[in-house]
Amino acid sequence: MRILAIETSCDDTAVAILEGVGGKVRLLADIISSQVKVHAPFGGVVPDLASRAHTENFLPCLKRALNKSSVGLKDIDLIAVTHGPGLIPSLLIGVNAAKALSYVLNKPIIGINHIEGHIIANWLELIGDKSKAVEGIIFPAACLVVSGGHTQLVLVKKIGDYQIIGETRDDAAGEAFDKVAKLLNLGYPGGPIISQRAQVGNAQAISLPRPMFKTKDYDFSFSGLKTAVLYEVKNHRCQLGNDIYINDLCASFQQAVVDVLVEKTIRAAKAYEVRTIMLSGGVAANDLLRITLGKKSEENNFYFSAPAKNFCTDNGAMIALAAYYRQKETASWQEIKADANLKL
Ligand code: KG4
Ligand code: ZN
């Protein structure tokens, strides 16, 4: 079974080819074309520009994936595509490309939920003989999905059986990193830059709120924290050229985000009596979050899993693997539709 997977839900054009034979999975190609340069001047993703860039980048990515894997289009058995959630102008490019391929090649197609893809990224460790890490994942599991568009706590009863037990009421965690970086003029995307600056900053230097830290639910809110950073900056305009101040602010902000994410995840894991805690989405590449959640999970006897950092941010491999697990649920190309608000 060879799967061609297409992911264009936000600002990365991704094409992957995965081969699965008798439970053995091999990633034959994993091509990603980033649009960071396109969106950086705006401090965030501009949907129309993203759509245009996907249109330009898709065929070169497909060509590279086919070359890299030495697989011809005729050797593909299944087309997989992210059909939501995401930005509609972006989703439409991948979905229409996938439908056209399915029609022309007369191959089945499957629509994959982007959030499920992020969760499934935890099983990508299967590739490259690291199956020990995957064997440790015992259900039920709690997965903290933290990306630029989403922040959700998902109860994973098994692959394909999900229940959202908490989510953000306003900004996503990654969005908060991006907005704070924008107001500090640090560039885009904000997460990697802020975490880099935070490494040399003092996380106790600036007092910032931990929104919804104590609420009994498993929801999050990050817009108040972003506003607190805005007021902090307004009150210390003269410090904006001071690297030490900026590093301390980045470290204090990152610590506030991580404190809330970890506290709520551990509490939910205990309440739902899960065996495993999983992390996924772009913000899962954050070292402080990985280390802190990993440590707290261990202290509380939960097995901890996080994808390799390159599989935390958007990629086609996670969509291909999700399709491999769901290969019986194919559709005809007429049935596949892009849905910006697709539910898990
Ligand atoms: O999953 P992803 O690639 O795209 C969406 O589905 O949204 O996540 C992108 C987000 C961006 O907001 C980016 O700032 C954040 O992930 N991110 C990070 C780090 N690397 C990427 N946030 C914090 N620390 C990082 N190291
Ligand atoms: Zn994503």
Side-chain angles (χ1 to χ4, degrees), residues 233-304:
V233 169
K234 272 193 173 162
N235 292 334
H236 296 89
R237 280 223 174 279
C238 56
Q239 296 270 45
L240 280 179
N242 177 349
D243 270 344
I244 295 173
Y245 174 76
I246 298 293
N247 295 343
D248 286 352
L249 188 50
C250 287
S252 303
F253 165 76
Q254 177 180 259
Q255 190 68 56
V257 174
V258 169
D259 283 353
V260 182
L261 291 174
V262 171
E263 167 72 16
K264 288 263 165 120
T265 305
I266 296 290
R267 239 196 283 150
K270 285 182 185 167
Y272 284 86
E273 298 181 346
V274 305
R275 303 283 303 277
T276 303
I277 290 180
M278 297 193 289
L279 184 59
S280 59
V283 184
N286 184 279
D287 282 322
L288 184 70
L289 179 59
R290 293 169 81 91
I291 293 166
T292 316
L293 190 56
K295 212 166 129 235
K296 288 271 173 204
S297 299
E298 208 173 286
E299 278 169 24
N300 288 281
N301 296 320
F302 298 114
Y303 180 77
F304 176 70

Side-chain angles (χ1 to χ4, degrees), residues 9-178:
S9 66
C10 190
D11 62 340
D12 289 304
T13 315
V15 177
I17 297 176
L18 181 140
E19 186 180 66
V21 183
K24 274 239 171 272
V25 185
R26 280 199 312 144
L27 189 58
L28 304 183
D30 181 29
I31 306 297
I32 301 175
S33 172
S34 160
Q35 301 176 8
V36 162
K37 281 196 185 127
V38 174
H39 304 290
F42 306 94
V45 179
V46 182
D48 282 356
L49 295 182
S51 172
R52 191 182 285 258
H54 283 309
T55 310
E56 281 166 15
N57 299 339
F58 173 69
L59 285 174
C61 283
L62 175 64
K63 213 168 152 222
R64 278 174 62 200
L66 293 170
N67 283 343
K68 172 97 200 296
S69 60
S70 305
V71 163
L73 277 176
K74 62 174 183 352
D75 304 318
I76 298 293
D77 302 299
L78 174 62
I79 314 281
V81 64
T82 304
H83 61 142
L87 303 169
I88 267 296
S90 292
L91 286 165
L92 282 172
I93 307 305
V95 165
N96 275 314
K99 287 169 78 152
L101 285 169
S102 165
Y103 172 68
V104 171
L105 300 171
N106 195 22
K107 299 287 175 180
I109 184 169
I110 184 165
I112 297 293
N113 183 304
H114 183 73
I115 303 295
E116 177 172 35
H118 274 305
I119 295 171
I120 296 288
N122 277 278
W123 280 269
L124 281 170
E125 294 284 321
L126 272 176
I127 293 156
D129 281 340
K130 290 195 200 140
S131 45
K132 276 243 153 17
V134 175
E135 279 163 21
I137 301 176
I138 296 172
F139 298 117
C143 185
L144 175 67
V145 186
V146 268
S147 72
H150 295 87
T151 295
Q152 291 182 329
L153 256 171
V154 181
L155 179 65
V156 184
K157 292 172 197 160
K158 59 179 191 227
I159 289 180
D161 188 349
Y162 311 109
Q163 182 190 338
I164 295 168
I165 52 179
E167 59 193 330
T168 183
R169 298 199 180 165
D170 39 56
D171 291 351
E175 192 179 354
F177 271 95
D178 295 337

Side-chain angles (χ1 to χ4, degrees), residues 195-212:
S195 61
Q196 209 184 334
R197 303 283 302 235
Q199 271 178 8
V200 286
N202 174 3
Q204 267 74 52
I206 295 158
S207 161
L208 291 171
R210 267 82 174 140
M212 301 191 68

Side-chain angles (χ1 to χ4, degrees), residues 316-330:
M318 67 187 195
I319 303 303
L321 191 59
Y324 177 73
Y325 288 129
R326 284 187 175 269
Q327 56 186 265
K328 293 207 174 80
E329 298 165 44
T330 56

